[in-house]
Amino acid sequence: MQIIDGKLVSKTIREELSNKIKEAQERGVQFKLSVIIVGNDPASEIYVSNKAKGCHEVGILSETVKMSENTTQEELEKAILERVNDNSVTGILVQLPLPKHLDSQSALKLIPPEKDVDGFSDGNVGKLTLFKNDALFSCTPFGMIKLLEHYNIPLAGKHAVVVGRSNIVGKPMSLMLLNKDCTVTTCHSRTPNLADFTKNADILVCAVGKKHLITEDMVKDGVVVLDAGINRVDGKIYGDVDFDGVSRKASYITPVPGGVGPMTITMLLYNTYLAGINNETRRV
Ligand code: NDP
């Protein structure tokens, strides 16, 4: 059994990115990420500060636009549009969740797909569905694909079972695996007898948010397991997969923490790099 080390892969990707960014900057390409945060949610503040630190580490310019809890929809949309119309800004991200009085959907719609480094926009999801090369992918599933690639895990023809169908993790992961020639089954809360599906998985992806939903008896020998779940119980973090039991059968498995989690911000940096490169290509 091999542990998939997300911290190590993330470090490797950041080092590669840093070199690529330097090279691109030498030919005049700009990379700048604008992160808009509204209110004082402590968890969001930590995420935003980690995003800014990540940008600094790989050489991407970043700005954090801090707006008060009382920001109106109009003020938020104005701040987004200013960045949409600023050619020096290559990536825009609105930190979610927004305070309840704001309509996140209509705000996010203002970000054009080419600057949507979270990969959440209709345009990027459409491109992913159509298997277009210039899509910016949702960061957590994109990170899971990079982990599989890093460990040279064969995907074509494999049966991938994805548990969870959210718009930001499960659904895009299913599409990305389909794009990699897997045969994909997507399970969700209405799937009866989940184990009937998970037992047939060559690749098992969990993105549910339920501690230890997947146990040893629900998987087959040799399965590759990617666990995106983050479940905080009594100050400790657990995955959706019972690591101790399932790792007895798995050929590869991500731990929680230290597996999928470290990849998410790294893939945001990667998307910001791609957005800058795509912007250069459009200008030529
Ligand atoms: P959501 O709550 O949006 O989606 C959860 C999904 O799980 C839904 O599709 C739901 O089905 C399904 N589900 C719920 N219960 C069951 C069940 N008993 N059996 C099968 N499927 C079930 O969560 P997210 O996708 O946003 O996040 C999933 C997990 O990943 C969370 O723990 C979250 O914290 C973590 N996460 C980690 C990230 C990282 O950086 N590592 C980033 C984003 C999320 P239905 O659609 O029918 O309701």
Side-chain angles (χ1 to χ4, degrees), residues 140 163-170 187-191 194 206-210 213 227-231 240 260-262 264-265:
T140 301
V163 189
R165 59 169 167 182
S166 70
N167 288 338
I168 62 167
V169 192
C187 301
H188 45 80
S189 68
R190 309 291 291 272
T191 303
L194 184 62
C206 296
V208 173
K210 287 204 158 68
L213 175 71
D227 186 357
I230 300 177
N231 305 291
D240 291 344
V260 174
T264 298
I265 293 184

Side-chain angles (χ1 to χ4, degrees), residues 9-21 24 29-33 50-51 54-60 90-91 93 114-119 133-147 149-150 176 180 262-279:
V9 180
S10 170
K11 185 168 171 277
T12 308
I13 293 178
R14 286 187 191 209
E15 281 165 5
E16 285 168 7
L17 257 185
S18 176
N19 291 333
K20 285 183 183 169
I21 286 168
V29 185
Q30 291 181 327
F31 304 95
K32 181 174 173 185
L33 175 66
N50 286 338
K51 287 168 188 177
C55 282
H56 182 71
E57 187 188 328
V58 300
I60 292 171
T90 48
L93 182 157
E114 57 274 16
K115 292 193 182 189
D116 163 38
V117 284
D118 255 341
N133 290 333
D134 64 339
L136 296 174
F137 299 138
S138 179
C139 299
T140 301
F142 193 17
M144 288 195 268
I145 294 290
K146 284 284 170 196
L147 288 175
E149 285 177 357
H150 184 90
M176 285 180 212
K180 296 279 179 191
M263 295 297 288
T264 298
I265 293 184
T266 296
M267 297 322 291
L268 170 71
L269 306 175
Y270 195 93
N271 274 349
T272 309
Y273 164 74
L274 288 180
I277 294 294
N278 291 346
N279 188 37

